[in-house]
Amino acid sequence: MIDADTSLDIATLREGYRAGSFTPREVLDLILARIEAQPERHVWIRRLAADELYAYADALAGREVDELPLYGVPFAIKDNIDLAGVPTTAACPEFAYLPERSATVVQRLIDAGAIPLGKTNLDQFATGLVGVRSPYGACRNAFDPEYVSGGSSSGSAVAVATGVASFSLGTDTAGSGRVPAGFNNLVGHKPTRGRLSTRGVLPACRSLDCVSIFALTAADADAVYRAAAAFDPEDAYSRGSQRPVLGRPIGARFRFGVPRAEQLEFFGNTAYETAFAAAVRRLEELGGEAVEIDFELFRETARLLYEGPWVAERYVAIEDFIEAKPEALHPVTRQITLGGAKPSAAAAFKAEYRRMELQRESEVVWQSLEVIVTPSAGTHYRIDEVEADPVALNSNLGYYTNFMNLLDLSATAVPAGMLDGGLPFGITLFAPAFRDAGLLALAERFQARENAKLGATGQPLATATGRVESVEDDVIQVAVCGAHMTGLPLNYQLTERGGWLVQTTHSAPVYRLYALSTAWPPPRPGMVRVAEGGAEIEVEVWAVPTARFGDFVVGIPAPLGFGRLELADGSLVEGFICEPYAVGDAEDITAYGGWRAYLNQH
């Protein structure tokens, strides 16, 4: 039987499912009870009924927990993303249509074992950063209902923050996957454009749109990202995985950019200013070196989004509908969208030329930095304040977000403390495209450190129903050389235990690497220390909480085991080793330099 206060973070659910402590049906019953007990925050546009939910749970019968990375994990879907058989409204009832197919990203998550709960409220047609532009009601903040929840992915964020979904999908064109995360104490990951398919997503700005992820922890966001990310041939803007061409990997020591003091904008909110300075210090405690940067090129790029011709994409997305039924739109949404009919083709090309010039200028920044940090938003407004001045205050909330997709960046919002008034504060870490894994790993390190600090005062990092393991220095460093590496099938065994990537490096040149024979499926590498003829082998070093190290090691099958592995710098860490008897008929793949390189050739 499930406890009433059970957290919905993925690690807790998987642990409970494995132990037989509860079933997916019981988790759904708990969620339904929580929803009924909560005050109305205008989170949902269409919740699935109990029998619809049970059908998804029953479809998991006969499947093993470890067979599906998101087995029985409940999630919410922003209502501009299709779920088969459920109307998509984009918060405009007269626009609604009934999709026969789920969006690619939704279907991938369901195939991974996740259970959709329903469709969530949003700023109409995903136009806004406030969460109040909806005929279904202003979605209220999870911590203080007088304050905005952030938009446009408002309902998706609040569903997770109030403990009724493990994670949720939003969209992020101009900050809609990060501002709501900051306002509701969540991790919000805006992936590299195209890594999560947008087929089945109603466009806002089709060339810029991203499907985003809200979660209680960075480890959860990472697990969802890995299940959802894939090349989709049905999406013209889809992109496969590739090696980053800009920036450097985020290691145990890293350089991070911070806007110059005069370029930081908090709109008079001194509490946010103080909280951001404290977050910068905590990044330094994690091994970061803060470097002041000129933020102006990012700000100029941001102005192109709404002051330039890209607003025309919002008009194109619903052109026929808005021309036929302009009265059906929220007044602010109508004003912004109709403005998109005005820019000329000449203006579009001029803006695109300038965008490319700014993107080339930004490349210089990444030659010396691994990551940049800003507040997720510069301040937080009450609902009545936004309704009194809807355009200007909404624009203020995009100060640190509007440039991201125009410059092809990846970004992760992460909680960074609670303010005296009981509202959360958050920061955003961003880097070039295809740096998603590194950002999420750094976010996880930051979140663990932040939780350890807040835990001493009794202040929560997540909401009352969202648990984050408190780990600081009580970790064991583990070197992995095979399927546990980032992006490979068994990496979840590290992330779900709260592990984070410390560095990608090489072993000392005293090992040989073998592809073990079919006697030990699935295919795996074996590293054997040799007296001569050794080479450097690529490894990743992960930090694993000491409390979770034992149950990780016990699951490692023979002929592999754990021992002291020597790194290129001469240091020793725990690592995978292989018993020599197992390599007698195995292929010697040392010349490849590592398992990942070997897989790329086979």
Side-chain angles (χ1 to χ4, degrees), residues 325-555:
K325 295 185 176 181
E327 72 283 353
L329 274 71
H330 186 283
V332 178
T333 307
R334 181 172 62 245
Q335 174 189 340
I336 293 169
T337 306
L338 285 175
K342 299 175 182 178
S344 67
F349 278 109
K350 288 178 181 178
E352 173 62 8
Y353 300 155
R354 184 55 184 154
R355 184 191 71 82
M356 289 299 294
E357 291 169 354
L358 290 164
Q359 185 165 325
R360 181 55 50 85
E361 290 177 27
S362 75
E363 292 174 4
V364 177
V365 176
W366 300 112
Q367 292 175 6
S368 60
L369 299 175
E370 287 90 335
V371 65
I372 295 175
V373 61
T374 67
S376 292
T379 190
H380 195 173
Y381 296 116
R382 297 191 312 274
I383 292 175
D384 61 347
E385 291 176 311
V386 169
E387 290 178 337
D389 192 0
V391 176
L393 298 195
N394 184 93
S395 179
N396 290 349
L397 298 184
Y399 185 90
Y400 297 108
T401 64
N402 287 351
F403 56 85
M404 293 282 189
N405 288 337
L406 286 168
L407 293 178
D408 198 15
L409 303 172
S410 50
T412 303
V414 61
M418 302 295 293
L419 306 179
D420 288 343
L423 289 170
F425 172 76
I427 60 171
T428 291
L429 309 165
F430 66 91
F434 301 100
R435 292 291 181 185
D436 302 86
L439 286 174
L440 287 163
L442 179 58
E444 191 167 354
R445 290 168 60 192
F446 183 89
Q447 196 173 26
R449 175 65 62 96
E450 175 66 14
N451 192 56
K453 289 179 178 293
L454 291 178
T457 66
Q459 293 176 297
L461 175 65
T463 58
T465 51
R467 177 176 59 81
V468 180
E469 295 294 342
S470 176
V471 294
E472 191 166 6
D473 296 320
D474 189 18
V475 298
I476 294 175
Q477 293 201 6
V478 179
V480 298
C481 63
H484 289 88
M485 298 173 77
T486 301
L488 297 183
L490 299 183
N491 183 250
Y492 76 90
Q493 293 182 0
L494 292 166
T495 58
E496 73 174 11
R497 288 171 170 81
W500 65 84
L501 179 65
V502 175
Q503 63 173 322
T504 298
T505 184
H506 290 82
S507 71
V510 294
Y511 295 91
R512 297 200 69 80
L513 188 68
Y514 297 86
L516 299 185
S517 72
T518 55
W520 295 282
R524 65 191 67 188
M527 277 182 68
V528 177
R529 189 172 182 121
V530 294
E532 58 183 28
E536 293 186 346
I537 305 299
E538 182 189 12
V539 297
E540 290 182 353
V541 179
W542 284 71
V544 178
T546 301
R548 302 303 305 273
F549 181 70
D551 67 331
F552 172 64
V553 172
V554 75

